[in-house]
Amino acid sequence: VAGLVAELYRRHGVQFVSRLEGEFSLALIDEARRRVILATDPIASYPLYWRADADGFTFGSDLSAVLRAAPRASRLNLRAVADYLTTGAVLGDKTLAKDVQLLDPGTVLVYEMDAGRVTLEPYASLSSFFQHQWSDHHAYLEAVEAAFTQAVRRATTASVPIGLSLSGGLDRRAVLSAVNGDAPAM
């Protein structure tokens, strides 16, 4: 996977992220251009915390790791505390640690090492997943079926053997029925 990501970056620059599918968070270090690139999938399935200051750039998939690497960031973010006390959640890109942010869903962060500059560029919007409104129930079900069949076909076209755990769940039975003998022999 790392080779694929590196090749996509080489060909398309930072915009390569919009070509990725599925759940991910990634960090790429471009030594030649002296920059660090962080990105999350459109729903931020895996969090990325970051901090940039005069001492440099720190990031991690766990807030405690960033705090260990940047001890000065361990002061409490009172705005995040207020969010939590009022709504039961910390809103936006805030974290409970002052000066540590959470990378927004569908966003690419570029940290330029020499300039110490951070650029945030959204490449996807959650609202774009909900733009199409279906008025015909039958057409909607056909579209769901086609998307499911395409996803199963894409997952089973590899040249390596596949396996399916049959626990009796409906999701596994649906996948098995979609494969319908089309998967490679094991």
Side-chain angles (χ1 to χ4, degrees), residues 3-19:
L4 174 63
V5 168
E7 180 61 22
L8 283 170
Y9 174 66
R10 188 187 68 73
R11 287 185 188 184
H12 305 285
V14 175
Q15 292 77 25
F16 83 95
V17 177
S18 64
R19 297 172 179 270

mmCIF file with all atom_site columns, all heavy atoms in Angstrom, residues 3-19:
data_model
loop_
_atom_site.group_PDB
_atom_site.id
_atom_site.type_symbol
_atom_site.label_atom_id
_atom_site.label_alt_id
_atom_site.label_comp_id
_atom_site.label_asym_id
_atom_site.label_entity_id
_atom_site.label_seq_id
_atom_site.pdbx_PDB_ins_code
_atom_site.Cartn_x
_atom_site.Cartn_y
_atom_site.Cartn_z
_atom_site.occupancy
_atom_site.B_iso_or_equiv
_atom_site.pdbx_formal_charge
_atom_site.auth_seq_id
_atom_site.auth_comp_id
_atom_site.auth_asym_id
_atom_site.auth_atom_id
_atom_site.pdbx_PDB_model_num
ATOM 1   N N   . GLY A 1 3  ? 3.749   1.747  -1.318  1.00 0.00 ? 3  GLY A N   1
ATOM 2   C CA  . GLY A 1 3  ? 4.265   1.992  -2.664  1.00 0.00 ? 3  GLY A CA  1
ATOM 3   C C   . GLY A 1 3  ? 3.224   2.631  -3.567  1.00 0.00 ? 3  GLY A C   1
ATOM 4   O O   . GLY A 1 3  ? 3.536   3.517  -4.359  1.00 0.00 ? 3  GLY A O   1
ATOM 5   N N   . LEU A 1 4  ? 1.989   2.188  -3.441  1.00 0.00 ? 4  LEU A N   1
ATOM 6   C CA  . LEU A 1 4  ? 0.898   2.759  -4.233  1.00 0.00 ? 4  LEU A CA  1
ATOM 7   C C   . LEU A 1 4  ? 0.679   4.218  -3.870  1.00 0.00 ? 4  LEU A C   1
ATOM 8   O O   . LEU A 1 4  ? 0.542   5.080  -4.740  1.00 0.00 ? 4  LEU A O   1
ATOM 9   C CB  . LEU A 1 4  ? -0.386  1.957  -4.012  1.00 0.00 ? 4  LEU A CB  1
ATOM 10  C CG  . LEU A 1 4  ? -1.649  2.520  -4.661  1.00 0.00 ? 4  LEU A CG  1
ATOM 11  C CD1 . LEU A 1 4  ? -1.520  2.541  -6.170  1.00 0.00 ? 4  LEU A CD1 1
ATOM 12  C CD2 . LEU A 1 4  ? -2.861  1.726  -4.223  1.00 0.00 ? 4  LEU A CD2 1
ATOM 13  N N   . VAL A 1 5  ? 0.665   4.516  -2.571  1.00 0.00 ? 5  VAL A N   1
ATOM 14  C CA  . VAL A 1 5  ? 0.475   5.893  -2.112  1.00 0.00 ? 5  VAL A CA  1
ATOM 15  C C   . VAL A 1 5  ? 1.618   6.769  -2.621  1.00 0.00 ? 5  VAL A C   1
ATOM 16  O O   . VAL A 1 5  ? 1.386   7.877  -3.124  1.00 0.00 ? 5  VAL A O   1
ATOM 17  C CB  . VAL A 1 5  ? 0.369   5.941  -0.567  1.00 0.00 ? 5  VAL A CB  1
ATOM 18  C CG1 . VAL A 1 5  ? 0.465   7.370  -0.055  1.00 0.00 ? 5  VAL A CG1 1
ATOM 19  C CG2 . VAL A 1 5  ? -0.935  5.305  -0.118  1.00 0.00 ? 5  VAL A CG2 1
ATOM 20  N N   . ALA A 1 6  ? 2.847   6.291  -2.523  1.00 0.00 ? 6  ALA A N   1
ATOM 21  C CA  . ALA A 1 6  ? 4.003   7.066  -2.990  1.00 0.00 ? 6  ALA A CA  1
ATOM 22  C C   . ALA A 1 6  ? 3.919   7.334  -4.496  1.00 0.00 ? 6  ALA A C   1
ATOM 23  O O   . ALA A 1 6  ? 4.202   8.443  -4.950  1.00 0.00 ? 6  ALA A O   1
ATOM 24  C CB  . ALA A 1 6  ? 5.299   6.333  -2.649  1.00 0.00 ? 6  ALA A CB  1
ATOM 25  N N   . GLU A 1 7  ? 3.503   6.331  -5.258  1.00 0.00 ? 7  GLU A N   1
ATOM 26  C CA  . GLU A 1 7  ? 3.385   6.504  -6.713  1.00 0.00 ? 7  GLU A CA  1
ATOM 27  C C   . GLU A 1 7  ? 2.262   7.478  -7.059  1.00 0.00 ? 7  GLU A C   1
ATOM 28  O O   . GLU A 1 7  ? 2.415   8.331  -7.944  1.00 0.00 ? 7  GLU A O   1
ATOM 29  C CB  . GLU A 1 7  ? 3.158   5.157  -7.394  1.00 0.00 ? 7  GLU A CB  1
ATOM 30  C CG  . GLU A 1 7  ? 3.031   5.237  -8.902  1.00 0.00 ? 7  GLU A CG  1
ATOM 31  C CD  . GLU A 1 7  ? 4.270   5.789  -9.610  1.00 0.00 ? 7  GLU A CD  1
ATOM 32  O OE1 . GLU A 1 7  ? 5.389   5.749  -9.051  1.00 0.00 ? 7  GLU A OE1 1
ATOM 33  O OE2 . GLU A 1 7  ? 4.119   6.273  -10.756 1.00 0.00 ? 7  GLU A OE2 1
ATOM 34  N N   . LEU A 1 8  ? 1.128   7.373  -6.383  1.00 0.00 ? 8  LEU A N   1
ATOM 35  C CA  . LEU A 1 8  ? 0.037   8.320  -6.631  1.00 0.00 ? 8  LEU A CA  1
ATOM 36  C C   . LEU A 1 8  ? 0.479   9.743  -6.297  1.00 0.00 ? 8  LEU A C   1
ATOM 37  O O   . LEU A 1 8  ? 0.161   10.683 -7.031  1.00 0.00 ? 8  LEU A O   1
ATOM 38  C CB  . LEU A 1 8  ? -1.195  7.947  -5.805  1.00 0.00 ? 8  LEU A CB  1
ATOM 39  C CG  . LEU A 1 8  ? -2.028  6.782  -6.314  1.00 0.00 ? 8  LEU A CG  1
ATOM 40  C CD1 . LEU A 1 8  ? -3.072  6.367  -5.281  1.00 0.00 ? 8  LEU A CD1 1
ATOM 41  C CD2 . LEU A 1 8  ? -2.694  7.130  -7.635  1.00 0.00 ? 8  LEU A CD2 1
ATOM 42  N N   . TYR A 1 9  ? 1.221   9.905  -5.217  1.00 0.00 ? 9  TYR A N   1
ATOM 43  C CA  . TYR A 1 9  ? 1.727   11.230 -4.837  1.00 0.00 ? 9  TYR A CA  1
ATOM 44  C C   . TYR A 1 9  ? 2.700   11.748 -5.893  1.00 0.00 ? 9  TYR A C   1
ATOM 45  O O   . TYR A 1 9  ? 2.651   12.916 -6.279  1.00 0.00 ? 9  TYR A O   1
ATOM 46  C CB  . TYR A 1 9  ? 2.395   11.162 -3.463  1.00 0.00 ? 9  TYR A CB  1
ATOM 47  C CG  . TYR A 1 9  ? 3.071   12.454 -3.060  1.00 0.00 ? 9  TYR A CG  1
ATOM 48  C CD1 . TYR A 1 9  ? 2.331   13.603 -2.813  1.00 0.00 ? 9  TYR A CD1 1
ATOM 49  C CD2 . TYR A 1 9  ? 4.454   12.511 -2.931  1.00 0.00 ? 9  TYR A CD2 1
ATOM 50  C CE1 . TYR A 1 9  ? 2.953   14.784 -2.447  1.00 0.00 ? 9  TYR A CE1 1
ATOM 51  C CE2 . TYR A 1 9  ? 5.077   13.694 -2.560  1.00 0.00 ? 9  TYR A CE2 1
ATOM 52  C CZ  . TYR A 1 9  ? 4.324   14.823 -2.317  1.00 0.00 ? 9  TYR A CZ  1
ATOM 53  O OH  . TYR A 1 9  ? 4.939   15.994 -1.964  1.00 0.00 ? 9  TYR A OH  1
ATOM 54  N N   . ARG A 1 10 ? 3.571   10.880 -6.384  1.00 0.00 ? 10 ARG A N   1
ATOM 55  C CA  . ARG A 1 10 ? 4.536   11.287 -7.413  1.00 0.00 ? 10 ARG A CA  1
ATOM 56  C C   . ARG A 1 10 ? 3.813   11.773 -8.673  1.00 0.00 ? 10 ARG A C   1
ATOM 57  O O   . ARG A 1 10 ? 4.190   12.771 -9.270  1.00 0.00 ? 10 ARG A O   1
ATOM 58  C CB  . ARG A 1 10 ? 5.471   10.122 -7.754  1.00 0.00 ? 10 ARG A CB  1
ATOM 59  C CG  . ARG A 1 10 ? 6.627   10.506 -8.676  1.00 0.00 ? 10 ARG A CG  1
ATOM 60  C CD  . ARG A 1 10 ? 7.430   9.305  -9.130  1.00 0.00 ? 10 ARG A CD  1
ATOM 61  N NE  . ARG A 1 10 ? 6.694   8.412  -10.012 1.00 0.00 ? 10 ARG A NE  1
ATOM 62  C CZ  . ARG A 1 10 ? 6.378   8.667  -11.282 1.00 0.00 ? 10 ARG A CZ  1
ATOM 63  N NH1 . ARG A 1 10 ? 6.713   9.818  -11.824 1.00 0.00 ? 10 ARG A NH1 1
ATOM 64  N NH2 . ARG A 1 10 ? 5.717   7.792  -12.006 1.00 0.00 ? 10 ARG A NH2 1
ATOM 65  N N   . ARG A 1 11 ? 2.752   11.082 -9.051  1.00 0.00 ? 11 ARG A N   1
ATOM 66  C CA  . ARG A 1 11 ? 2.022   11.425 -10.285 1.00 0.00 ? 11 ARG A CA  1
ATOM 67  C C   . ARG A 1 11 ? 1.091   12.635 -10.132 1.00 0.00 ? 11 ARG A C   1
ATOM 68  O O   . ARG A 1 11 ? 0.951   13.423 -11.059 1.00 0.00 ? 11 ARG A O   1
ATOM 69  C CB  . ARG A 1 11 ? 1.171   10.248 -10.738 1.00 0.00 ? 11 ARG A CB  1
ATOM 70  C CG  . ARG A 1 11 ? 1.947   9.126  -11.319 1.00 0.00 ? 11 ARG A CG  1
ATOM 71  C CD  . ARG A 1 11 ? 1.018   8.073  -11.838 1.00 0.00 ? 11 ARG A CD  1
ATOM 72  N NE  . ARG A 1 11 ? 1.759   6.890  -12.243 1.00 0.00 ? 11 ARG A NE  1
ATOM 73  C CZ  . ARG A 1 11 ? 1.206   5.847  -12.810 1.00 0.00 ? 11 ARG A CZ  1
ATOM 74  N NH1 . ARG A 1 11 ? -0.087  5.828  -13.038 1.00 0.00 ? 11 ARG A NH1 1
ATOM 75  N NH2 . ARG A 1 11 ? 1.939   4.818  -13.146 1.00 0.00 ? 11 ARG A NH2 1
ATOM 76  N N   . HIS A 1 12 ? 0.418   12.742 -8.976  1.00 0.00 ? 12 HIS A N   1
ATOM 77  C CA  . HIS A 1 12 ? -0.666  13.713 -8.860  1.00 0.00 ? 12 HIS A CA  1
ATOM 78  C C   . HIS A 1 12 ? -0.451  14.779 -7.791  1.00 0.00 ? 12 HIS A C   1
ATOM 79  O O   . HIS A 1 12 ? -1.331  15.622 -7.601  1.00 0.00 ? 12 HIS A O   1
ATOM 80  C CB  . HIS A 1 12 ? -1.984  12.989 -8.575  1.00 0.00 ? 12 HIS A CB  1
ATOM 81  C CG  . HIS A 1 12 ? -2.313  11.943 -9.589  1.00 0.00 ? 12 HIS A CG  1
ATOM 82  N ND1 . HIS A 1 12 ? -2.772  12.242 -10.846 1.00 0.00 ? 12 HIS A ND1 1
ATOM 83  C CD2 . HIS A 1 12 ? -2.229  10.594 -9.534  1.00 0.00 ? 12 HIS A CD2 1
ATOM 84  C CE1 . HIS A 1 12 ? -2.961  11.134 -11.524 1.00 0.00 ? 12 HIS A CE1 1
ATOM 85  N NE2 . HIS A 1 12 ? -2.641  10.117 -10.760 1.00 0.00 ? 12 HIS A NE2 1
ATOM 86  N N   . GLY A 1 13 ? 0.664   14.726 -7.095  1.00 0.00 ? 13 GLY A N   1
ATOM 87  C CA  . GLY A 1 13 ? 0.891   15.692 -6.030  1.00 0.00 ? 13 GLY A CA  1
ATOM 88  C C   . GLY A 1 13 ? -0.085  15.469 -4.887  1.00 0.00 ? 13 GLY A C   1
ATOM 89  O O   . GLY A 1 13 ? -0.618  14.376 -4.708  1.00 0.00 ? 13 GLY A O   1
ATOM 90  N N   . VAL A 1 14 ? -0.333  16.510 -4.132  1.00 0.00 ? 14 VAL A N   1
ATOM 91  C CA  . VAL A 1 14 ? -1.198  16.412 -2.961  1.00 0.00 ? 14 VAL A CA  1
ATOM 92  C C   . VAL A 1 14 ? -2.617  15.980 -3.330  1.00 0.00 ? 14 VAL A C   1
ATOM 93  O O   . VAL A 1 14 ? -3.315  15.357 -2.534  1.00 0.00 ? 14 VAL A O   1
ATOM 94  C CB  . VAL A 1 14 ? -1.206  17.760 -2.202  1.00 0.00 ? 14 VAL A CB  1
ATOM 95  C CG1 . VAL A 1 14 ? -2.180  17.741 -1.050  1.00 0.00 ? 14 VAL A CG1 1
ATOM 96  C CG2 . VAL A 1 14 ? 0.191   18.077 -1.702  1.00 0.00 ? 14 VAL A CG2 1
ATOM 97  N N   . GLN A 1 15 ? -3.043  16.238 -4.537  1.00 0.00 ? 15 GLN A N   1
ATOM 98  C CA  . GLN A 1 15 ? -4.398  15.866 -4.970  1.00 0.00 ? 15 GLN A CA  1
ATOM 99  C C   . GLN A 1 15 ? -4.587  14.353 -5.082  1.00 0.00 ? 15 GLN A C   1
ATOM 100 O O   . GLN A 1 15 ? -5.697  13.884 -5.296  1.00 0.00 ? 15 GLN A O   1
ATOM 101 C CB  . GLN A 1 15 ? -4.732  16.514 -6.326  1.00 0.00 ? 15 GLN A CB  1
ATOM 102 C CG  . GLN A 1 15 ? -4.878  18.011 -6.278  1.00 0.00 ? 15 GLN A CG  1
ATOM 103 C CD  . GLN A 1 15 ? -3.526  18.727 -6.214  1.00 0.00 ? 15 GLN A CD  1
ATOM 104 O OE1 . GLN A 1 15 ? -2.496  18.200 -6.643  1.00 0.00 ? 15 GLN A OE1 1
ATOM 105 N NE2 . GLN A 1 15 ? -3.516  19.905 -5.639  1.00 0.00 ? 15 GLN A NE2 1
ATOM 106 N N   . PHE A 1 16 ? -3.518  13.553 -4.907  1.00 0.00 ? 16 PHE A N   1
ATOM 107 C CA  . PHE A 1 16 ? -3.644  12.109 -4.994  1.00 0.00 ? 16 PHE A CA  1
ATOM 108 C C   . PHE A 1 16 ? -4.656  11.574 -3.982  1.00 0.00 ? 16 PHE A C   1
ATOM 109 O O   . PHE A 1 16 ? -5.275  10.536 -4.205  1.00 0.00 ? 16 PHE A O   1
ATOM 110 C CB  . PHE A 1 16 ? -2.290  11.419 -4.777  1.00 0.00 ? 16 PHE A CB  1
ATOM 111 C CG  . PHE A 1 16 ? -1.907  11.233 -3.332  1.00 0.00 ? 16 PHE A CG  1
ATOM 112 C CD1 . PHE A 1 16 ? -2.173  10.049 -2.678  1.00 0.00 ? 16 PHE A CD1 1
ATOM 113 C CD2 . PHE A 1 16 ? -1.279  12.250 -2.628  1.00 0.00 ? 16 PHE A CD2 1
ATOM 114 C CE1 . PHE A 1 16 ? -1.827  9.872  -1.347  1.00 0.00 ? 16 PHE A CE1 1
ATOM 115 C CE2 . PHE A 1 16 ? -0.920  12.085 -1.315  1.00 0.00 ? 16 PHE A CE2 1
ATOM 116 C CZ  . PHE A 1 16 ? -1.199  10.893 -0.665  1.00 0.00 ? 16 PHE A CZ  1
ATOM 117 N N   . VAL A 1 17 ? -4.839  12.270 -2.873  1.00 0.00 ? 17 VAL A N   1
ATOM 118 C CA  . VAL A 1 17 ? -5.709  11.790 -1.804  1.00 0.00 ? 17 VAL A CA  1
ATOM 119 C C   . VAL A 1 17 ? -7.146  11.618 -2.292  1.00 0.00 ? 17 VAL A C   1
ATOM 120 O O   . VAL A 1 17 ? -7.839  10.687 -1.897  1.00 0.00 ? 17 VAL A O   1
ATOM 121 C CB  . VAL A 1 17 ? -5.641  12.726 -0.580  1.00 0.00 ? 17 VAL A CB  1
ATOM 122 C CG1 . VAL A 1 17 ? -6.595  12.284 0.501   1.00 0.00 ? 17 VAL A CG1 1
ATOM 123 C CG2 . VAL A 1 17 ? -4.232  12.774 -0.049  1.00 0.00 ? 17 VAL A CG2 1
ATOM 124 N N   . SER A 1 18 ? -7.586  12.473 -3.183  1.00 0.00 ? 18 SER A N   1
ATOM 125 C CA  . SER A 1 18 ? -8.966  12.367 -3.673  1.00 0.00 ? 18 SER A CA  1
ATOM 126 C C   . SER A 1 18 ? -9.177  11.105 -4.504  1.00 0.00 ? 18 SER A C   1
ATOM 127 O O   . SER A 1 18 ? -10.318 10.723 -4.759  1.00 0.00 ? 18 SER A O   1
ATOM 128 C CB  . SER A 1 18 ? -9.335  13.607 -4.489  1.00 0.00 ? 18 SER A CB  1
ATOM 129 O OG  . SER A 1 18 ? -8.528  13.676 -5.641  1.00 0.00 ? 18 SER A OG  1
ATOM 130 N N   . ARG A 1 19 ? -8.119  10.426 -4.893  1.00 0.00 ? 19 ARG A N   1
ATOM 131 C CA  . ARG A 1 19 ? -8.223  9.186  -5.659  1.00 0.00 ? 19 ARG A CA  1
ATOM 132 C C   . ARG A 1 19 ? -8.305  7.945  -4.768  1.00 0.00 ? 19 ARG A C   1
ATOM 133 O O   . ARG A 1 19 ? -8.511  6.844  -5.263  1.00 0.00 ? 19 ARG A O   1
ATOM 134 C CB  . ARG A 1 19 ? -7.040  9.049  -6.608  1.00 0.00 ? 19 ARG A CB  1
ATOM 135 C CG  . ARG A 1 19 ? -6.987  10.152 -7.642  1.00 0.00 ? 19 ARG A CG  1
ATOM 136 C CD  . ARG A 1 19 ? -5.703  10.090 -8.449  1.00 0.00 ? 19 ARG A CD  1
ATOM 137 N NE  . ARG A 1 19 ? -5.684  11.121 -9.442  1.00 0.00 ? 19 ARG A NE  1
ATOM 138 C CZ  . ARG A 1 19 ? -6.150  11.001 -10.675 1.00 0.00 ? 19 ARG A CZ  1
ATOM 139 N NH1 . ARG A 1 19 ? -6.663  9.864  -11.072 1.00 0.00 ? 19 ARG A NH1 1
ATOM 140 N NH2 . ARG A 1 19 ? -6.096  12.007 -11.508 1.00 0.00 ? 19 ARG A NH2 1
#
